Amino acid sequence: MAPLHLNTPLVESAPLSRLAGRRVWLKLDALQPSGSFKIRGVGRACQTYLERGARGFVSSSGGNAGLAVAYAGRCLGVPVRVVVPKTSTARARELLAAEGAEVTVHGDSWVEANALAQSLVGPNDAFVHPFDDPLLWPGHATLIDEVAASGLRPGAVLLSVGGGGLFSGVVEGLARNGMADVPVFAVETDGAASLQASLKAGQLVSLEAITSIATSLGAKQVCRQAFELARSHPVTGLVVSDADAVRACVRLMDDHRLVVEPACGAALAPLHRGEPALASVEGDLLVIVCGGATATAAQLLAWSESLR
Ligand SMILES: *Cc1c(COP(=O)(O)O)cnc(C)c1O
């Protein structure tokens, strides 16, 4: 079965290369049909569940994971049910409904929405997790397969981390393309830095609350796979402010005419702040522009005013 994701462009950013004093490449997964990289892993997982006999998909994500499930379901002709909390935005619900998903609004937080979603999973349904499912990671790894096929061997990769699914897939992709030694800079926003907290504690820990506006990074705890890979692969955890992440989004909008969420701007922010940890990298930098469908230009500009 053909994959549901696109092979996305890999472009050199002239403004970022000038800023960093080395070539900076952008892997433009913001251009995926569901608006983010998530369709890579989610598409693959949904195709696998369908082959195994699933006749319905259930998700509890009011963000890009839910949108990817809705898109995959529409492509595969499988009905999708998404349960989102009352705190989800009208825009997210509209985008989900536009993809043909049945949207149920339930509970004051994701915990209650997720509990209802789990209870709705019938014997012929598959629950599609946003980041913690071994079926997702090889799908996300195709991102690095495409980079390798283009002939680029980066000196380091910058990406953002929420629950760690993207990170797990990228590390898997590096390993399967003979790049297991290429360091990864794993970027989180202050208030959503669950990987950093676990790395500091030396064990998986859970944040008490998410306080960042980068809601797509808002997993209180990263998956075990991400934590373990962060200790076996060369990884540096970086934390940026919400304001830095939003500024990087606005710069991307001006430089490359792309609108992405702060969750994605986070991966670009270390370049703008002249992150000293990047100085030791030898070679080109690769940034995963992971996207985010819930962003609008107006919202980014409003945040950029309020977060000075
Ligand atoms: C999901 C998501 C992330 C984080 O991915 P994880 O696999 O949860 O680490 C980052 N940016 C965007 C836009 C996302 O949708």
Side-chain angles (χ1 to χ4, degrees):
M1 218 188 288
L4 302 181
H5 66 264
L6 303 180
N7 184 333
T8 55
L10 176 67
V11 300
E12 187 188 349
S13 169
L16 285 170
S17 296
R18 270 198 298 279
L19 190 67
R22 64 176 83 228
R23 296 177 92 174
V24 177
W25 296 89
L26 305 178
K27 182 63 175 158
L28 297 182
D29 258 43
L31 300 178
Q32 290 292 354
S34 71
S36 79
F37 76 94
K38 285 220 172 61
I39 188 58
R40 290 182 184 269
V42 166
R44 189 181 182 283
C46 287
Q47 285 177 321
T48 306
Y49 288 129
L50 177 62
E51 278 166 16
R52 292 181 187 169
R55 292 296 169 260
F57 300 142
V58 179
S59 166
S60 57
S61 158
N64 297 304
L67 283 168
V69 178
Y71 177 80
R74 183 164 65 74
C75 292
L76 299 171
V78 174
V80 173
R81 189 146 186 201
V82 186
V83 186
V84 297
K86 290 176 194 157
T87 50
S88 59
T89 61
R91 176 170 168 83
R93 293 176 205 169
E94 280 161 21
L95 289 170
L96 286 165
E99 286 291 7
E102 185 188 335
V103 182
T104 305
V105 181
H106 174 80
D108 290 325
S109 77
W110 177 80
V111 175
E112 288 95 48
N114 186 53
L116 178 63
Q118 299 286 353
S119 75
L120 293 173
V121 181
N124 295 321
D125 296 328
F127 179 78
V128 187
H129 197 279
F131 56 83
D132 193 4
D133 182 338
L135 291 176
L136 296 170
W137 310 322
H140 295 333
T142 58
L143 212 150
I144 299 300
D145 296 340
E146 291 166 19
V147 171
S150 79
L152 174 65
R153 189 190 161 87
V157 181
L158 281 115
L159 52 72
S160 58
V161 174
L166 174 63
F167 169 82
S168 298
V170 164
V171 171
E172 179 170 337
L174 291 171
R176 77 186 185 194
N177 286 284
M179 296 193 270
D181 57 334
V182 172
V184 173
F185 289 87
V187 192
E188 298 173 288
T189 49
D190 197 12
S194 44
L195 176 64
Q196 190 76 343
S198 289
L199 288 177
K200 277 207 172 126
Q203 60 182 44
L204 265 180
V205 296
S206 189
L207 299 178
E208 272 183 20
I210 300 295
T211 54
S212 169
I213 58 161
T215 48
S216 293
L217 303 186
K220 286 186 184 170
Q221 185 175 308
V222 294
C223 58
R224 176 161 295 281
Q225 174 79 353
F227 177 66
E228 279 170 5
L229 288 175
R231 298 207 296 178
S232 58
H233 189 90
V235 172
T236 305
L238 297 176
V239 179
V240 301
S241 68
D242 278 351
D244 284 347
V246 167
R247 246 193 308 273
C249 291
V250 174
R251 294 285 291 272
L252 187 74
M253 193 153 65
D254 290 346
D255 290 344
H256 293 283
R257 304 157 304 279
L258 279 173
V259 174
V260 300
E261 292 179 18
C264 173
L268 293 153
L271 291 166
H272 292 291
R273 77 176 184 195
E275 172 58 46
L278 296 175
S280 62
V281 175
E282 285 175 35
D284 298 358
L285 293 173
L286 169 66
V287 187
I288 309 302
V289 181
C290 51
T294 73
T296 64
Q299 171 77 86
L300 289 175
L301 295 175
W303 272 325
S304 131
E305 282 298 312
S306 65
L307 290 173
R308 271 163 199 286

